[in-house]
Each structure stands twice: as structure tokens, then as C-alpha cells.
Amino acid sequence: MQNSKSSLVVLTLGAVGVVYGDIGTSVLYAVKEVFGSGHVPFTETNVYGILSIFFWTLTLIVSLKYVVLVLRADNHGEGGLIAMLALASQAVKDKPRLRATLLAVGIFGTSLFYGDGVITPAISVLSAVEGLEVMSIHSKRFVIPITLVVLFCLFAVQKRGTGGIGKFFGPITLVWFITIALLGVSHIVGHPEILWALSPYHALSFMFAHPGTSFIILGAVVLCVTGAEALYADLGHFGKRPIRLAWFAVVMPALTLNYFGQGALLLVEPEAIQNPFYMMAPDWALIPLVVLATMATVIASQALITGAFSVTKQAIQLGYLPRLNIQHTSVRDTGQIYIPLVNWGLFVSIVLAVVMFRSSSNLAAAYGIAVTLDMLITTTLTFYVIRYGWGYPLALCVAATGCFAVVDLAFFASNLLKLFQGGWFPLLIGGIVFSLMMTWKEGRRLLNEKLRADAIDLKAFLESVFINPPTRVEGTAVFLTAETGAVPNALLHNLKHNKVLHQQNLFVTVHNHEIPWIGLDKRLQVEPLGHDCWQVMIHYGFKNDPDLPRALDLLRGRGCELEPMSTSYFLSRDTVIPTIGSGMAPWREKLFAQMHHNASGAADFLRLPNNAVVELGSKIEI
């Protein structure tokens, strides 16, 4: 019992640091952007109305939608948009057209994650460093350089892994939440009447009195739920109970107190609207607060970067991206990975965002479209999960998700007003990633169809080979092939040029599934082909760590004994030539051919040893 309580405390503290970093730093800019937009006249009534809208936005979107409803839709304990997509696609697998549509929608939502992954670190770190401007107007010229240095240091240390510094995330973020709560309380005690804004009456009164303004400012109000998607994405790391406990016991109270403290300050000092968060602090605490805020935003950004690595790996295993160089930064935790291309791609995009927009206020105009569209997609997929996956009545499913869909749609429509003010930027990034994903998926489908059409049946080929067998050499050859039952090009090249065949031969196909985990007891399917040859299929979930040598160790005791020093891995690498009229637009055919050429191959992804041999393959037209 004691160990269980201790584990719950540790997981809850971890959830505070990782899950709620983004939403915890939204207090830096959310209130400032609502009143700074110029759409809301500064009156006492409007202050009450805006604070009430903030509170009930947090309640509806975070507390009820994500914490209560969406966290229930776990895919074997895993969460995130890809996990939800897998659940939804499985739920409607008997409806092929609907399934294809949901897959496209879900992948588009996943692509938008990268757009959010650019804006969120930029606006968070920039808003933290902007606290220097409160100290002195002359500090303004240092804000962007300091921001870029902080971001560079953050991305430069990614290759070392998060294991060493991850244990400090929770305590530092907890200190952050305690600090923002105390800042809020210090102003609320002087004006406790501000707590009346907890009543939905003030939010509804404001919306009925100013319907047009209410719609417009939703684009700024959405800033208070920055990072809400992380609640579901990190489900597999912490579990439902710690995430819920962290929200209701720590995060929600701290955010509410700080927002209401900012409101109390504005009632007394309306000029504080230029930066109400930092102006809550006494002069002596300003520098420590800037330092703490910068640390909190770095932690929030770290969580998002780690999430980008994880999402990329899952997309690769589902076949939506080529195999990239994935480096494991921990010998114990297989979830700690580093993908250089994603890391520096994000960094370059974030630098562009900071240099182009130059302030957190300008970045706020770019934020919202991608994240609200992601929220709407999550709500849509949730409907299909609870309706077709769980079998709940239609009326109940519509009631459970309909109100959230209306709220999400309202926020998304409001944020569309910011499309030409910067909202195009994350959409552009998401669109580029979506084009890459769908091009790779479609290109692989066309390529596999071509390979199947030209394939030689493996069993028939081996029978003909062993009529007059070549010289057998010691050791085991592992031939990787995309299609089960087809002769790999690497085998043909080996027989043609070396005129030998290994003593043992494994023809291995890796199959990835739309579920997060597949246990070791279901990892292998083995079919003997005779003459010490075996057809092996290896099964992975999209959260499993692909490790081919470890998987093949499971063959021991099944008639095939592998010795690491005498086992060679053969990979076929084919050159893809785009052809007009193959099923994709010409530019997509050329893009796929270039992606195929630049892909690092299976050796990195499947963690193959150094003795893996890449055989030159044939030229394939698609």
C-alpha cells in the first residue's frame, strides 16, 4: 500500500512537469493578448466576463473533455492522436470508405502537431524572456537574441537524452505552479470580490452583451488551453489517475488563482495590461521570476520536442514516413529517442517563427488554428470510437461529443480570422508534413504493388535452387523483404555474384500494426521452408521498439540457432524511377522517389548490427 501511494506521488509529480508544462506557461500571455487585442473595452464588468470565460474554457475543454472523457479512450493504455486514430480505424474496419476518410483526417491532425510544435516553444520562451522589458525598456533589443540562444541550447542537448535532466522537470514545474498561485493570491486577498467571476453568469452576460466581440476574442482565449492535447498524448507515460490528480489538485487551482490575480491587478492598475503577469510581482522578484519562467518554458518545450520524436517514430512504424535515423539515448528506457532530422528541422522552423514574428503578441496571432483543428479532429474520432468501438447508443454518443464539437468548432472558426495575421504559418508546416506522409504512404502502396507483380515465389524458387544446390557456407543469412513469400533481390544478388548460400537462411518480413504494443509471445510467426530455410514474420505495435536481432533471438529452441558473430543481414535497396500516369501527380512521384533515395533504410530503424550488408537492387518504375 505504501509503495502504491509513493508511486502515485512520483507519477503525479512527473505529470505536473511533463504533461502540464505548456498549459502552465499560458499565464504568461493569455490575459495580455485578450485585452491587448483592442476588441474588449477595458471595464470592470468586462474583466469579470473575460476571467469567467477563461475559467469555463478550462473547465469545458480540459476538465470535462480531456480529463473526464478523452482519457477513457485509451488504446491498450496508450494515448495521443495516433492511438485514437488506430482505435477509430479499427472500430470502422468494416466500412472501408469511412475508414480511409478517418485515416486521412487523423494523419492530417498528426501533421498539425508539428505546426503546433513550432509555435508553442517560440511563444513560450519568447514571452518568458520578454519579462526583461518590464525591468527596462532598453532590454527590448536583447529579447530575441536571448530567446534564440536559449532555444539553441535546448535543441543542442537533445542528443544527450532527457534521462539526466528529466528528474528535475517535475520539481521545477511544481515550484512554478506554486509561484504563480502565490502571485495570484497576493492580489486576490486585496480584492476577493474578483472570485465572483467563477460564476458562469459573468461569462454568459459578456457573450450576450457582446456576441461579435466574444466570437473574435475566442482566438485569444484559446491560448489558456495551450498544450491541452498533451493530456491525452502522455497517457501511456503516466496513466489516467496521476494525470487527473495533477490537474485537479495542482494545475487547475494554480492557473485559476493566477488568472484571477491578474484580473484583480487590472482592476486597480489598468496600465498593467502591457504585461499583467510580470507586473503582479514585486520589483525584487522580477529577475528570479524571469529565470523561473524561462526554465518552465524550456521544460514545456522539451516535452513537446520529445512528443515530436515519439509521434515521428509511430508514423514511421505505421508506414507514413520513411525510415529515419533514430538514436536511442537510454539503455533502459526504449522510449527515450533522438531523431536528428526532426530535432534540427523543428529548430530551424522555430527560429524562422521567432525572427519573422518577433514578439509573443505577434506569435499569438499565429497560434490557435492548428491546435483548435486538432481538438476538433480528436472530438470527431472520439465519436467513432465510443459509437462503433464501444457500441454506445447513438443519442448518448452525440450528446457526449456534440457539445464539445460545437465548442471546438467555435474556437476554430474564431481562429480562422487570424489566418492572414500569421495563422497560415503552422498550417503551412502541417500541410507540408501531411503531403510528405500521404505521398510516402501512397508511393509505398504503388511500389509494393509493382514488387508483387514482378515477384518470384519464394517456395518455388528454393525448390528449383536445391535441385542443383550451390555451395553452402557457414553462418546464418537474414534477408529482409517487404513481401512475405517473395524472393528478395538481395538473395538473387548473393547467388549471382557470390554463387554461395549460407547454411541457414531467414527470410524476414516486419509487419507493423495499428495497436500500441505487441508482446514477445506474439512477436514471431515462423514457417519452415526446408533445407534450413525459414520464413519469419515479426510483429510490432506502433509503440514497440523495433529491434530485429533481439526479436530473432526468440527463434532459439525452434530449430534455428543464431550466433551473433556468424549472422549476416542483407538489405535490398532499390532505385525508384517516377513515371507519368502511375496513380500520383508527377510532383508527388518525384517527391516519393527523392524521399526513397534519401531514406536511411532499415539498418538504423531496426537497430541492426554493423555487419548488415546493403545490396544494390534493381531500378523500379512507379
Side-chain angles (χ1 to χ4, degrees):
M1 178 66 71
Q2 187 66 32
N3 289 337
S4 178
K5 290 182 179 180
S6 176
S7 177
L8 178 61
V9 170
V10 172
L11 287 172
T12 302
L13 183 61
V16 168
V18 175
V19 178
Y20 296 109
D22 282 338
I23 200 169
T25 56
S26 62
V27 294
L28 289 164
Y29 44 80
V31 173
K32 179 180 71 171
E33 296 308 321
V34 171
F35 284 104
S37 64
H39 297 292
V40 182
F42 193 87
T43 65
E44 181 177 327
T45 302
N46 287 349
V47 170
Y48 278 79
I50 293 300
L51 291 180
S52 186
I53 290 175
F54 268 64
F55 176 77
W56 287 101
T57 297
L58 289 169
T59 300
L60 285 173
I61 292 182
V62 183
S63 298
L64 296 181
K65 177 184 173 180
Y66 281 97
V67 176
V68 174
L69 176 62
V70 175
L71 281 185
R72 295 187 61 206
D74 66 289
N75 191 338
H76 296 79
E78 292 296 326
L81 198 53
I82 286 185
M84 178 73 81
L85 174 61
L87 281 176
S89 65
Q90 287 296 313
V92 297
K93 60 184 178 181
D94 57 335
K95 301 175 175 62
R97 288 188 177 180
L98 177 59
R99 183 174 183 271
T101 301
L102 289 182
L103 283 170
V105 170
I107 292 301
F108 182 63
T110 302
S111 303
L112 291 175
F113 173 83
Y114 293 91
D116 184 33
V118 170
I119 297 298
T120 301
I123 191 175
S124 297
V125 177
L126 194 54
S127 61
V129 180
E130 282 174 347
L132 296 174
E133 297 179 17
V134 178
M135 297 170 51
S136 170
I137 191 63
H138 301 293
S139 301
K140 185 173 183 178
R141 66 178 184 272
F142 299 112
V143 170
I144 291 180
I146 292 175
T147 299
L148 294 178
V149 169
V150 170
L151 288 169
F152 175 77
C153 293
L154 172 63
F155 282 90
V157 300
Q158 293 303 310
K159 60 184 178 181
R160 300 183 181 275
T162 59
I165 59 176
K167 59 186 177 183
F168 298 109
F169 285 4
I172 292 174
T173 311
L174 181 61
V175 171
W176 167 253
F177 281 115
I178 293 173
T179 301
I180 66 174
L182 292 176
L183 284 173
V185 169
S186 67
H187 290 273
I188 291 174
V189 293
H191 299 275
E193 65 274 9
I194 197 70
L195 294 177
W196 285 111
L198 290 170
S199 169
Y201 166 79
H202 294 283
L204 295 174
S205 296
F206 180 89
M207 288 188 288
F208 282 120
H210 311 282
T213 301
S214 299
F215 175 74
I216 293 173
I217 66 168
L218 287 180
V221 171
V222 74
L223 293 168
C224 76
V225 292
T226 305
E229 285 280 330
L231 278 168
Y232 184 44
D234 289 311
L235 175 60
H237 295 111
F238 301 100
K240 300 174 187 177
R241 191 178 177 190
I243 291 176
R244 287 169 172 162
L245 183 60
W247 173 252
F248 288 114
V250 178
V251 182
M252 178 70 168
L255 292 176
T256 302
L257 289 172
N258 191 269
Y259 283 130
F260 279 61
Q262 292 187 47
L265 171 66
L266 293 176
L267 292 178
V268 179
E269 302 177 31
E271 64 276 9
I273 193 56
Q274 59 179 315
N275 203 321
F277 175 79
Y278 280 112
M279 296 189 76
M280 281 197 299
D283 292 340
W284 61 267
L286 197 53
I287 292 181
L289 187 59
V290 170
V291 173
L292 180 60
T294 303
M295 294 173 65
T297 55
V298 166
I299 290 173
S301 301
Q302 173 63 63
L304 195 144
I305 295 167
T306 303
F309 294 158
S310 178
V311 167
T312 302
K313 177 185 172 185
Q314 294 173 25
I316 291 172
Q317 290 186 234
L318 288 177
Y320 284 94
L321 284 174
R323 297 183 178 105
L324 303 175
N325 177 19
I326 298 179
Q327 301 174 14
H328 292 257
T329 58
S330 172
V331 295
R332 291 177 296 179
D333 186 359
T334 58
Q336 290 191 28
I337 59 175
Y338 169 68
I339 307 178
L341 181 64
V342 174
N343 185 70
W344 294 111
L346 276 178
F347 174 72
V348 170
S349 301
I350 291 172
V351 169
L352 283 175
V354 172
V355 172
M356 287 171 54
F357 294 97
R358 303 193 69 80
S359 74
S360 60
S361 296
N362 293 336
L363 278 167
Y367 181 85
I369 294 182
V371 71
T372 51
L373 188 52
D374 251 354
M375 290 178 177
L376 185 59
I377 290 173
T378 298
T379 302
T380 303
L381 295 179
T382 301
F383 168 80
Y384 286 100
V385 170
I386 64 178
R387 175 72 180 103
Y388 297 102
W390 299 351
Y392 285 0
L394 179 62
L396 178 61
C397 296
V398 171
T401 61
C403 63
F404 297 126
V406 171
V407 173
D408 293 337
L409 193 58
F411 275 102
F412 174 62
S414 175
N415 278 278
L416 280 178
L417 298 175
K418 303 189 295 184
L419 179 62
F420 298 106
Q421 299 174 348
W424 57 268
F425 187 70
L427 284 182
L428 176 63
I429 294 174
I432 291 173
V433 175
F434 179 71
S435 296
L436 292 174
M437 285 185 170
M438 297 308 292
T439 297
W440 182 258
K441 186 71 172 180
E442 181 66 9
R444 289 300 302 176
R445 184 187 68 79
L446 293 172
L447 182 60
N448 288 336
E449 287 181 357
K450 176 67 175 176
L451 291 174
R452 279 195 296 269
D454 299 336
I456 303 173
D457 182 71
L458 179 60
K459 291 183 179 179
F461 179 79
L462 290 178
E463 288 178 3
S464 64
V465 166
F466 285 109
I467 293 175
N468 185 19
T471 302
R472 307 292 290 267
V473 296
E474 293 292 329
T476 301
V478 177
F479 295 96
L480 291 179
T481 174
E483 292 293 330
T484 304
V487 178
N489 285 335
L491 174 62
L492 296 176
H493 282 283
N494 192 43
L495 289 173
K496 178 180 178 180
H497 297 291
N498 299 323
K499 297 179 175 54
V500 297
L501 196 65
H502 285 70
Q503 191 63 45
Q504 295 186 123
N505 296 276
L506 305 180
F507 302 95
V508 178
T509 302
V510 176
H511 187 59
N512 296 296
H513 297 265
E514 294 179 359
I515 59 175
W517 302 103
I518 293 180
L520 293 177
D521 58 326
K522 299 179 180 178
R523 180 74 76 230
L524 295 184
Q525 278 182 270
V526 183
E527 179 186 355
L529 301 176
H531 305 283
D532 291 322
C533 298
W534 290 267
Q535 178 79 64
V536 181
M537 181 173 284
I538 303 178
H539 299 276
Y540 289 112
F542 60 78
K543 291 283 287 185
N544 282 124
D545 182 40
D547 189 334
L548 194 64
R550 183 184 177 192
L552 292 179
D553 277 343
L554 299 175
L555 286 171
R556 297 182 185 279
R558 301 193 185 187
C560 180
E561 301 295 327
L562 275 72
E563 294 297 331
M565 298 301 294
S566 61
T567 301
S568 300
Y569 297 82
F570 292 86
L571 294 78
S572 295
R573 172 158 294 182
D574 302 305
T575 301
V576 176
I577 302 175
T579 57
I580 303 301
S582 63
M584 290 195 296
W587 69 268
R588 292 183 68 197
E589 294 175 11
K590 294 179 181 178
L591 176 62
F592 172 74
Q594 188 63 41
M595 292 172 69
H596 192 277
H597 175 73
N598 292 335
S600 63
D604 292 323
F605 185 70
L606 296 174
R607 304 180 73 177
L608 297 183
N610 293 330
N611 62 334
V613 178
V614 178
E615 291 283 350
L616 294 177
S618 307
K619 293 183 178 180
I620 302 176
E621 295 184 354
I622 62 166

